Amino acid sequence: MTGAVPAGDVPAGATPAGGYRPPGPGTGLPSVVPAALRSLGVPDLPEGVHPASWELPEARVVVVLLVDGLGAEQLARRSGHARTLRAMSSPAGAEGFACGFPSTTATSLTSLGTGLPAGGHGIIGWQTNWRGRRFNHLAWQDGPDPASHQPLPTLFQHAARRDVTMSTVSWPQYADSGLTRASLRGGGFVGASTHTERTEGVLRAVAQGGRRGRSLVYAYWDEIDKAGHVHGPDSLEWGEAVEALDAWVADLLGRLPAGAVLAVTADHGMVEAPHGSRRDLAHEPALASGVSLLAGEPRAPQAWCAPGAVDDVVAGWRAELGESAVVLSREEAVEAGWFGPVRPGYEERIGEVVAAMLGDATLLDSRDLRPAVLGLRGHHGSITDAETAIPLLVTQT
């Protein structure tokens, strides 16, 4: 995998960054849409976006299906539930496909939409510190203007300017959400609430190819992520959710026009995170000391600290968490490249202390999370292979 570490341990003699390396330029999740645009004959990319180091077949129609929570390790364990996906292949040169850090939906969808790692687009985690309060990028309630918070052009906008008909097929409530406007803006939007509506939405978008007959469709599928969070990624329900996805893909492939390319990928994987392995600032003063705001995710917490307390928090977390986490200061995490190159001005969006949880551990503050979140069995966000390795499966009709 792309420099991640196993979920269960830290390698002997590991660097302060835990041996983790994010996907390099032209690889991993940020490279999916650049590869799709090249497949469609678009010769250029926005400034700062690297061309993919791998290729899709030439086509007039490309459908990118992002399956929320479909980690490569989990899919490999349950491949018997996915005969259609199992028959698809990964493009040459795309070995060890991965998302970036933190391995979470808001960050990954923005990397897909912009072709940039977290440090380049600035959507750094599920939650962050915005003007001294905790801000949730998924809910986007009472937050910044999406277009100014993430002002760079998206690849979807770029596609539309290059005579490619660009369409998103997703839940209707996401049409004008803050995250969509920040990360995935551009082209048309087709709301779809059922499997049948998703199929019809993709086919309708494909049929609307512009004057040059080229169509790029982004479709989003989130039932597997929901099953993993609620029941765990090793659960019966997770396998059933994969079976439903696989059946839908098989039906779609039978209805796409000849020569269309379908690329299936994901935003992150997931680990089982039992409540017995939870560390909670609400009940552990040694972990709470010096922390003024905790954001990030339970598998990748980011802390903002009281004035002058950063070094003490780093030392305290390292002592308390031991081998269950890699703990870095903001400066160490940026220097190690965890977020990729960080655009000037975005450093403060990263916690002053950044932790990557290992094994099955989580770190949170139960005072600040809803009961539904506290009850989840599956989590993601960290640097382990189980969370960062994602599939890239391609077929042409």
Side-chain angles (χ1 to χ4, degrees):
M1 303 306 171
T2 309
V5 298
D9 61 359
V10 180
T15 69
Y20 170 70
R21 298 187 310 278
T27 70
L29 187 60
S31 67
V32 171
V33 178
L37 292 175
R38 181 164 59 189
S39 168
L40 291 165
V42 175
D44 64 331
L45 294 167
E47 183 179 358
V49 178
H50 292 272
S53 61
W54 49 277
E55 294 185 356
L56 291 173
E58 292 185 5
R60 308 299 290 175
V61 171
V62 176
V63 178
V64 174
L65 172 62
L66 187 134
V67 184
D68 199 326
L70 187 69
E73 288 197 352
Q74 295 82 47
L75 180 60
R77 289 200 301 267
R78 311 295 283 278
S79 61
H81 294 267
R83 281 188 279 182
T84 303
L85 295 177
R86 194 171 65 224
M88 298 169 67
S89 60
S90 185
E95 298 84 4
F97 214 67
C99 66
F101 176 80
S103 49
T104 195
T105 299
T107 299
S108 289
L109 291 189
T110 314
S111 290
L112 179 84
T114 63
L116 298 169
H121 58 62
I123 307 296
I124 301 174
W126 169 45
Q127 298 176 319
T128 189
N129 180 354
W130 185 67
R131 296 183 177 177
R133 66 175 179 86
R134 191 176 297 98
F135 171 66
N136 183 328
H137 281 118
L138 292 182
W140 212 286
Q141 294 179 348
D142 301 321
D145 172 63
S148 59
H149 194 62
Q150 198 300 100
L152 299 175
T154 71
L155 294 170
F156 296 174
Q157 291 173 311
H158 183 76
R161 293 167 183 154
R162 297 299 184 272
D163 291 324
V164 172
T165 300
M166 171 64 222
S167 303
T168 292
V169 179
S170 187
W171 290 95
Q173 61 265 35
Y174 298 156
D176 197 41
S177 73
L179 184 62
T180 296
R181 287 184 285 144
S183 309
L184 304 167
R185 59 183 178 265
F189 190 99
V190 180
S193 300
T194 68
H195 294 181
T196 298
E197 289 177 355
R198 287 177 190 167
T199 303
E200 296 302 326
V202 170
L203 297 176
R204 186 161 66 250
V206 166
Q208 291 175 346
R211 64 183 181 86
R212 298 181 63 177
R214 302 185 299 182
S215 297
L216 173 62
V217 181
Y218 159 65
Y220 175 70
W221 186 286
D222 68 349
E223 285 90 337
I224 290 173
D225 182 69
K226 292 177 180 176
H229 277 304
V230 174
H231 303 287
D234 296 323
S235 65
L236 173 65
E237 289 84 356
W238 196 92
E240 290 175 340
V242 172
E243 288 182 356
L245 165 72
D246 196 70
W248 183 84
V249 169
D251 177 67
L252 178 67
L253 287 174
R255 301 176 66 180
L256 285 173
V261 168
L262 173 65
V264 180
T265 190
D267 54 348
H268 56 75
M270 193 174 290
V271 298
E272 294 271 354
H275 297 171
S277 298
R278 174 185 294 170
R279 307 297 298 271
D280 189 345
L281 270 64
H283 304 297
E284 300 186 59
L287 290 172
S289 178
V291 176
S292 58
L293 186 148
L294 186 70
E297 10 269 311
R299 287 285 294 173
Q302 300 182 42
W304 279 260
C305 305
V310 172
D311 291 344
D312 289 340
V313 172
V314 169
W317 280 20
R318 286 175 178 168
E320 290 293 320
L321 299 175
E323 295 185 355
S324 68
V326 178
V327 179
L328 305 179
S329 68
R330 173 193 288 162
E331 291 74 18
E332 288 172 330
V334 170
E335 183 178 358
W338 277 21
F339 301 96
V342 178
R343 190 174 297 273
Y346 285 179
E347 296 91 343
E348 293 185 358
R349 299 187 183 189
I350 300 170
E352 294 175 298
V353 180
V354 179
M357 307 305 291
L358 305 176
D360 57 8
T362 52
L363 175 63
L364 51 77
D365 189 335
S366 59
R367 297 165 294 189
D368 298 324
L369 296 174
R370 294 179 290 109
V373 175
L374 295 173
L376 297 178
R377 296 183 57 178
H379 284 280
H380 53 82
S382 190
I383 61 176
T384 71
D385 282 339
E387 293 156 279
T388 61
I390 55 174
L392 176 65
L393 303 172
V394 176
T395 192
Q396 187 168 27
T397 58

